[in-house]
Amino acid sequence: MAVGNEGGLGVENGGRQYLCIDLKSFYASVECADRGLDPMTTNLVVADGTRTEKTICLAVSPSMKALGVRNRCRVFEIPAGIQYVMAPPRMARYIQKSAEIYGTYLRWISKSDIHVYSIDEAFFDVTPYLDLYGMTARELGERMREDVVRRNGIPATCGLGSNLYLAKVALDITAKHSPGFFGELTEETYKTTLWNHRPITDFWRVGPGIARRLADLGIYTMGQLAMSPVDPIYRVLGKDAEILIDHAWGVEACTMADIKAYRSRDHMLSSAQVFGQDKSFDEARLVVKEMLDDLSLQLVDAGQVAGGVSVWAGYALTDDEKHEMRAKGNVRFFGGPSGGGSARLASPTSSLRELREAAMRAWDQGVSRNRLVHRVGVGILDVVAEDAPGTQLDLFSDQEARAEERKRQEAINAIKRKFGKNAVLRGIDLMPGATARERHAQIGGHRSGEEE
């Protein structure tokens, strides 16, 4: 069977074949493998035991799932009769292991045909490799999955589809419930096997919010969505309706080449934090200052400047607000009230002083002083290289002061790279309620597993 870069399989999407590989319960599997335990039979959860019982389990092993323990549950929700190992998060180790597994993928597929979707999931356009290896797409997927298990000790599942969407759905719905951990879909088999599948939230890009809006239209399955009049769907979902309707038919226009060619027009840096204990307006304001310090150092390290800054505060819910959200079926209290704003800078800069002044103006104007804050976020907007075309100096800024601050920031970065992020601290980092020292020992809001 001849297969070239432009097709040859005689199926949808120009005959291309895509794989999607997911590392099962990745964090938990890494912890099991590092302990010499079988991830498929060991009861293990990854959770920070130094926090309260409300802390979220970042992962639970497959055997825990088989006992009915759902992923991302809270520690107190684990049934009392289950014996298990609790492993503290080690985000740096998981990143290292993910890189090792990517190295396994590169033994089979060129990086130009790989899209890393997340730390534990990747897509592959295997079309050009079938003649090379003398295999079908399924055989190649099986070999790659087995190679990951053999070399890294991490169990994996694999989906195969005639487009990227179908590969993802084959993984999420078919493979994860298959004894062989492999699923395969074409547009036709998608219609015949999954058009009546429920819940609709099992499908890629269909979250609870979209599901509720579709339910208001009497749509509960992909088959119903495909057969429904399009005008009401567009009225409810806007431009997202086009992608969703295509997906209902098993169609996906995006290819691996499109992903590789994509370049975002807008660039930003961001940081966010959820507080273990709700903070006052001033306490949360202090944390925002700390976060801006880290982001400005990132700008300097990357040789970039920013044109604006944004701040955001998610308020702690009152009892009345919780009651109202429960009445709407939002038992996890997503989408509560918030405040914040943004501010433009006089000219692109990496100056912490200028970024902080702009951010504090936005904070003071957009965040309520009368509410407790449960989470905060900071964004550095319109990030470009210092020498990007069109970047101009501000004639009204003190360029000498900017240069002196830049030297200090470069020196701080050099020290932190050599001795750790907590090697240099500002006075505000030592104040009650400050979180920088704790945050510097985390990756993505979770413990890195590395002592500084």
Side-chain angles (χ1 to χ4, degrees), residues 22-196:
D22 172 75
L23 309 172
K24 288 179 67 67
S25 303
F26 180 53
Y27 299 164
S29 293
V30 172
E31 294 296 342
C32 288
D34 284 355
R35 289 166 168 78
L37 304 173
D38 183 350
M40 301 303 295
T41 60
T42 302
N43 290 346
L44 182 143
V45 303
V46 178
D48 189 349
T50 64
R51 299 183 179 181
T52 69
E53 286 193 339
K54 292 183 179 179
T55 190
I56 292 176
C57 298
L58 299 185
V60 303
S61 62
S63 65
M64 291 286 283
K65 291 181 181 179
L67 295 173
V69 179
R70 60 181 178 81
N71 206 21
R72 307 289 293 180
C73 69
R74 298 184 184 273
V75 170
F76 74 84
E77 295 176 318
I78 299 174
I82 298 178
Q83 299 294 317
Y84 61 89
V85 176
M86 179 182 289
R90 297 186 297 155
M91 300 305 296
R93 172 57 177 154
Y94 309 148
I95 293 172
Q96 177 191 38
K97 194 68 173 180
S98 180
E100 292 173 5
I101 293 172
Y102 182 75
T104 301
Y105 297 150
L106 290 176
R107 296 176 62 88
W108 296 90
I109 307 293
S110 167
K111 66 179 182 180
S112 62
D113 292 311
I114 303 174
H115 171 58
V116 177
Y117 183 64
S118 66
I119 193 172
D120 61 351
E121 198 166 323
F123 288 93
F124 309 85
D125 182 350
V126 298
T127 313
Y129 301 89
L130 305 183
D131 274 354
L132 174 65
Y133 294 122
M135 301 178 188
T136 65
R138 175 159 191 144
E139 289 170 341
L140 179 55
E142 291 278 18
R143 291 285 296 275
M144 290 176 62
R145 187 184 67 79
E146 291 168 359
D147 202 22
V148 168
V149 177
R150 182 175 63 255
R151 292 179 182 276
N152 304 279
I154 306 298
T157 54
C158 185
L160 167 63
S162 49
N163 59 49
L164 289 165
Y165 170 72
L166 291 177
K168 174 66 170 168
V169 174
L171 171 78
D172 287 344
I173 300 180
T174 307
K176 291 184 178 180
H177 302 288
S178 166
F181 304 127
F182 201 103
E184 182 176 354
L185 288 173
T186 65
E187 289 181 22
E188 289 307 313
T189 58
Y190 172 79
K191 296 171 191 174
T192 57
T193 61
L194 294 180
W195 257 13
N196 294 321

Side-chain angles (χ1 to χ4, degrees), residues 188-294:
E188 289 307 313
T189 58
Y190 172 79
K191 296 171 191 174
T192 57
T193 61
L194 294 180
W195 257 13
N196 294 321
H197 178 88
R198 295 193 187 192
I200 198 170
T201 50
D202 282 350
F203 291 86
W204 195 23
R205 293 177 59 93
V206 182
I210 290 178
R212 284 194 295 270
R213 281 178 278 175
L214 290 176
D216 290 340
L217 299 176
I219 298 172
Y220 299 92
T221 67
M222 281 298 188
Q224 291 172 339
L225 176 59
M227 296 300 178
S228 295
V230 299
D231 287 345
I233 301 171
Y234 272 92
R235 191 163 52 249
V236 169
L237 298 178
K239 63 182 180 181
D240 290 339
E242 181 178 359
I243 296 175
L244 198 59
I245 293 170
D246 278 352
H247 285 179
W249 287 97
V251 173
E252 173 58 71
C254 182
T255 66
M256 185 67 72
D258 295 327
I259 294 174
K260 295 297 183 179
Y262 175 76
R263 297 293 182 271
S264 174
R265 290 180 296 177
D266 299 319
H267 297 274
M268 68 177 293
L269 296 175
S270 63
S271 182
Q273 183 172 1
V274 178
F275 300 133
Q277 183 174 356
D278 299 333
K279 295 184 179 293
S280 68
F281 173 91
D282 289 329
E283 290 172 333
R285 192 176 189 268
L286 171 66
V287 174
V288 169
K289 287 183 179 181
E290 292 184 300
M291 296 165 81
L292 280 166
D293 189 4
D294 289 339

Side-chain angles (χ1 to χ4, degrees), residues 390-444:
T391 303
Q392 297 181 352
L393 294 176
D394 178 9
L395 298 178
F396 300 99
S397 296
D398 187 339
Q399 297 302 320
E400 185 176 344
R402 276 190 174 185
E404 287 298 320
E405 183 180 9
R406 173 61 180 264
K407 290 179 181 178
R408 290 195 299 271
Q409 290 174 303
E410 289 175 343
I412 291 171
N413 273 336
I415 295 171
K416 290 191 173 190
R417 277 195 297 271
K418 186 171 183 179
F419 299 105
K421 293 182 179 179
N422 283 330
V424 179
L425 298 171
R426 295 182 183 272
I428 63 171
D429 300 333
L430 303 176
M431 294 178 65
T435 64
R437 286 177 294 171
E438 177 186 358
R439 195 169 57 252
H440 289 163
Q442 299 176 342
I443 298 175

